[in-house]
């Protein structure tokens, strides 16, 4: 469902199978955003920090605050986060 919603408006979709690399790529600007519905804390803790330190935004999929216990994740640059 999420891929269909975003795919219609996105230029490309990439899924590499590693939350860590996807979040690092959001942090360095290689990707505009990354979202996932069910991740564990060990999958995202370092990557979420990288995104935040680079000036990006990390929230739950519903827009609420992302914490260590949050499983659904949306990480993006400040320009695209609200639209996603």
């Amino acid at each position: 469902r999420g891929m269909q919603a975003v795919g219609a408006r996105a230029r490309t979709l990439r899924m590499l199978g590693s939350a860590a690399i996807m979040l690092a790529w959001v942090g360095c600007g290689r990707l505009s955003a990354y979202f996932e519905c069910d991740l564990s804390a060990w999958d995202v803790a370092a990557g979420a920090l990288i995104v935040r330190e680079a000036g990006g935004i990390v929230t739950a999929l519903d827009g609420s605050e992302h914490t260590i216990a949050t499983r659904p994740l949306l990480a993006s640059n400040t320009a695209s986060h609200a639209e996603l």
Side-chain angles (χ1 to χ4, degrees):
R1 216 172 45 172
M3 297 294 267
Q4 290 174 339
V6 173
R9 299 184 58 155
R11 189 175 73 184
T12 48
L13 295 173
R14 296 180 189 189
M15 297 303 295
L16 300 177
S18 168
I21 194 68
M22 299 295 278
L23 289 166
W25 281 9
V26 170
C28 76
R30 189 173 289 172
L31 294 176
S32 299
Y34 173 65
F35 70 95
E36 188 67 54
C37 295
D38 190 27
L39 291 170
S40 297
W42 53 83
D43 293 322
V44 299
L49 179 62
I50 289 169
V51 172
R52 286 183 176 132
E53 290 292 317
I57 302 170
V58 181
T59 64
L61 286 178
D62 64 4
S64 63
E65 180 182 4
H66 178 268
T67 67
I68 199 74
T70 305
R71 295 190 68 89
L73 169 106
L74 172 59
S76 69
N77 58 40
T78 55
S80 62
H81 199 85
E83 185 176 358
L84 292 168

